[in-house]
Amino acid sequence: MKYDDMKDVLNIYGYGAPAVVGIESVVYDKNIVYVKGSYDAMTVQLGVDVDKKFILERREYAPNLNTTLKKLVAMNTESKLFLELITDPNKWGLESPKFSNDVFLESILSSTRQYDMTTSQDHTFTRVIRQRMNIIWGPPGSGKTQFLALTILRYIDIMRGLSLKGQGKGPQTIVLTALTHSAIDNLVARVLKLHETVAPHAGYESMIRPLLIYRIGGYNQAQGQQEGVITMSAADFAAKHTKHEDPRDQDVVRIVCGTVWGIRKAAFAKTPALCLQNIQMLMIDEGSQLLTVDALHAIECLDPDAGRLIVAGDHLQLGPVIVGDYPPSSQTIDPTGSIMKNLMRTAKNKRVDLQWDENRLALDVGPCTSQLQDNFRMNKQLGEFMQSIYGPSFRVQNPTKALPYGEFRGMSFPAEIRKILDRDLSATCVELQLTTDRQCQAAVKVRANTRTAAIVEAAFVAGLVDYYLTMVGAQTVTSVFVAVPHHVQRLAILNAVDLDRLAQDYPLAKIKVDTIEKMQGQEADFVVVGFALFGDATVTKELRHLYSVHRWVVALSRARCKTVLLMTPEMLSPRIVDGGSSPSAADMDYLDGWGLLHAFEKYSRETGGKTVYPIGREFLELLQL
């Protein structure tokens, strides 16, 4: 952080100028740097004692830090809505927004125009218009983006229907926001697509034509501007958006898209956009990845009487990326948690925690949360396993999905490979068992060195991908993901898999290798999940990373037709203490991902998809480790 930036931050709290210190000494073997200086204001106001040593930790400086701090300071006097919401989300969210009865009645009268919503989606939409707040829990493949886009179109239909009857509710501003520009663009693209495809055959396409969509910032010249979207900067929005609207339309419905920072900048620019200071509907996509302190900037722009808040996401998948380690919060409000996590409360206003009941995840998600219950992504076998996580009501809609080849393909392949690629065994678990021959120096090296272990895994993955694409053929459209927890694994696989050759030989195949974090929100026909770690010390050192339930949920939910999990006995039964025994479930109850790994291994074994593949001396010698 620059000196001037630090000075501004401290001035907010009345601490004056920051301290200036110098390096006193360095202990190189322990990576310790001692700094020395004086700052009377800090010793007095912050209670820092003189002549005592403290650890100076690195903290990244975010460019929006000053804005956030000023907003947090102002919350004590100004941010009544956000404080009321975060204190008791259920109490605030269950209240009916202004005009909700009229909107609900119109939705009933226009029930024939449901825009192809399923029963589950229609039920959730009813709650959206009846309550001030709705948490849309969208499991993997549940059509969350589709539902949000249909909700927007149907809401516009209702508001214009009321306007035509002389019961208009005045100008309506719908704000779409998310953590990233790509998530926003994805939702906007779905709205535009459904506007042209689903809406016309609903019978009253004129009710939602034309759409008025503004995009604040985020213009990507490489991708091109989205047709039908008006792009402008936050500073220009107030002055320019009125040029695209008919001043005679007293019930105009506009959609404004942008990050929370872009929305705030436009709302409180030098020429403020008043329509963004009283938003009628705020829709936050990927709410499980957006920090609460960031979301408050958009939430404070809600109309306090008629505003509706919709937060969509999946709290069981990976959350916000936090730089640095922070102690877990025992409070209901998690300061480093997502807006979705902090708004999801049980009926007793307690935060939602993971609980297992008879090998199934049992959650009290509270009265303001609606789960989308249609699994459009997965086939029958994969969908049944997901029900152990998301409940039996998460129903498979496309049970017959299968890999694009017949049962007689690959007859010349080794028997183990044919079983792994069997299109009828969608949940496949491959246990790679490294030789226990202590005279094999290569095996000793694999157990001791993570990079060497990654080379072994990469060789297996490269062969598996080659076999799969051979089965599919060059003229078949397909997609392959390889997802791993570490970059060292990703790099090893990229080195082993010749992507250029495969792209040339199989032009219709989409192949991607990346970390599990980067795979969130994506899907493929065939997914290989690599957790082939052979060293007890490596596994023990990284328990929280490797067994994070959120990472495992993402990894095991990317496939449409087949998931192949590569794991080892060391991953299945890690040793918590060197030389100790394997842990029981009670020893590792905080590592729910370990339980999920066991659940998938058991499910794969019971459905016939479990394979044990020995890694012997001959295999290792071929790799020349």
Side-chain angles (χ1 to χ4, degrees), residues 139-366:
S142 62
K144 173 175 60 66
T145 302
Q146 179 91 351
F147 170 75
L148 295 179
L150 290 173
T151 295
I152 293 167
L153 295 177
R154 195 171 173 187
Y155 180 77
I156 294 174
D157 181 323
I158 292 171
M159 299 312 296
R160 288 186 174 169
L162 289 171
S163 180
L164 290 175
K165 295 176 181 179
Q167 302 174 19
K169 307 307 176 185
Q172 299 285 311
T173 301
I174 303 172
V175 169
L176 311 184
T177 189
L179 174 65
T180 64
H181 287 292
S182 60
I184 297 169
D185 291 339
N186 185 39
L187 179 54
V188 172
R190 188 64 61 90
V191 171
L192 293 171
K193 178 181 178 180
L194 294 179
H195 180 239
E196 295 300 325
T197 57
V198 175
H201 76 70
Y204 285 81
E205 64 269 25
S206 60
M207 300 292 286
I208 56 171
R209 293 183 185 276
L211 284 181
L212 190 59
I213 304 181
Y214 302 102
R215 181 70 165 90
I216 297 177
Y219 175 62
N220 189 329
Q221 291 185 347
Q223 296 180 352
Q225 184 172 344
Q226 291 174 298
E227 186 177 354
V229 178
I230 305 167
T231 303
M232 59 186 66
S233 68
D236 295 336
F237 180 78
K240 291 186 177 181
H241 82 86
T242 54
K243 297 179 180 178
H244 301 276
E245 299 173 8
D246 186 348
R248 297 169 298 177
D249 187 356
Q250 300 300 309
D251 299 317
V252 61
V253 182
R254 63 180 72 88
I255 303 173
V256 184
C257 316
T259 64
V260 291
W261 302 104
I263 296 300
R264 184 193 181 280
K265 287 178 181 178
F268 299 99
K270 188 174 182 180
T271 303
L274 299 181
C275 66
L276 292 180
Q277 294 184 14
N278 287 281
I279 299 169
Q280 282 68 46
M281 178 180 284
L282 173 60
M283 185 176 286
I284 301 177
D285 195 10
E286 303 297 351
S288 53
Q289 296 180 334
L290 183 65
L291 283 169
T292 303
V293 293
D294 292 339
L296 74 90
H297 294 287
I299 291 174
E300 277 301 313
C301 296
L302 267 174
D303 186 318
D305 299 318
R308 289 176 172 83
L309 174 61
I310 303 170
V311 181
D314 181 9
H315 62 294
L316 295 185
Q317 298 189 57
L318 290 165
V321 176
I322 304 294
V323 178
D325 294 324
Y326 295 85
S329 173
S330 61
Q331 305 299 315
T332 301
I333 302 174
D334 182 359
T336 62
S338 69
I339 185 63
M340 183 175 185
K341 178 180 179 181
N342 279 318
L343 292 183
M344 287 183 73
R345 304 282 179 84
T346 66
K348 296 182 178 180
N349 198 30
K350 303 296 183 181
R351 72 179 183 184
V352 174
D353 291 318
L354 298 176
Q355 296 179 358
W356 294 87
D357 180 18
E358 297 182 355
N359 297 323
R360 289 182 180 273
L361 195 60
L363 292 176
D364 173 9
V365 294

Side-chain angles (χ1 to χ4, degrees), residues 135-140 144 286-289 312-320 338 340-342 344 351-356 360-365 369 371-372 385-391 394 516-517 520-521 547-558 592-593 596:
I135 308 297
I136 310 301
W137 180 13
K144 173 175 60 66
E286 303 297 351
S288 53
Q289 296 180 334
D314 181 9
H315 62 294
L316 295 185
Q317 298 189 57
L318 290 165
S338 69
M340 183 175 185
K341 178 180 179 181
N342 279 318
M344 287 183 73
R351 72 179 183 184
V352 174
D353 291 318
L354 298 176
Q355 296 179 358
W356 294 87
R360 289 182 180 273
L361 195 60
L363 292 176
D364 173 9
V365 294
T369 300
Q371 180 187 1
L372 298 178
F385 176 74
M386 281 295 114
Q387 288 179 335
S388 67
I389 302 174
Y390 292 97
F394 188 41
I516 295 170
E517 285 83 350
Q520 183 157 311
Y547 295 99
S548 162
V549 67
H550 307 289
R551 185 167 284 102
W552 277 96
V553 168
V554 172
L556 297 177
S557 61
R558 300 305 95 198
D592 296 289
L596 197 53

